[in-house]
Amino acid sequence: MTEELDQGSIDRLLRTHGTGVLSLANGADAYAVPQSFGYDGDVLYFQLAANADSRKLAFIEATETASFAVYTTDPSRSVVVDGPIERVPPDERTAAATAVAENAEIPTLDVHPETPPSDLDFEFYRLRPTHRSGRAFRSTVERETES
């Protein structure tokens, strides 16, 4: 059985889970990448590490509407946020850095093993949601114990 999450539940999931999957598009080509994020209650922020020929940045530049999915398995819930993604202007980087520091789960900076960190550029991007949706999934075991 599937239930829709209300906006409060969607916000809680976004505030308590700092990783998800960012999906981008360039024409008919799609690109999805695991990504840490920060959430300030309105906007999702990403601190991206990229080299000069970054596929991720090329897709961001081509994407009109990005999707970002966050999910848990225990309990099973998911949230999908859609909207435009853009580079954060220099005068707003403090807000982005704060949101990332408070929310993101950053497992490692070694995301480009063939490139030393000194050769990477770090930039903040933001996704301004135009649509948010969420689902909670109850397992067969949960439904049977309720009967």
Side-chain angles (χ1 to χ4, degrees), residues 108-115 117:
T108 180
L109 288 178
D110 192 16
V111 294
H112 296 278
E114 70 285 353
T115 307

Side-chain angles (χ1 to χ4, degrees), residues 3-15:
E3 299 172 9
E4 283 192 45
L5 296 178
D6 61 27
Q7 290 303 308
S9 297
I10 289 171
D11 281 343
R12 276 189 295 283
L13 190 70
L14 292 172
R15 286 191 186 278

Side-chain angles (χ1 to χ4, degrees), residues 20-109:
V21 178
L22 178 62
S23 298
L24 307 165
N26 184 354
D29 295 326
Y31 181 63
V33 59
Q35 188 64 53
S36 297
F37 74 102
Y39 178 63
D40 69 359
D42 185 39
V43 176
L44 281 73
Y45 292 98
F46 309 95
Q47 184 178 21
L48 306 180
N51 55 22
D53 59 343
S54 169
R55 182 176 181 205
K56 185 181 346 181
L57 293 185
F59 267 80
I60 284 175
E61 294 302 321
T63 299
E64 289 183 33
T65 301
S67 288
F68 190 71
V70 178
Y71 60 92
T72 64
T73 57
D74 190 21
S76 295
R77 297 175 191 262
S78 67
V79 167
V80 176
V81 179
D82 301 318
I85 188 167
E86 64 188 4
R87 186 179 297 215
V88 173
D91 63 328
E92 297 179 36
R93 288 185 183 149
T94 299
T98 300
V100 168
E102 291 176 351
N103 195 166
E105 295 174 24
I106 303 172
T108 180
L109 288 178

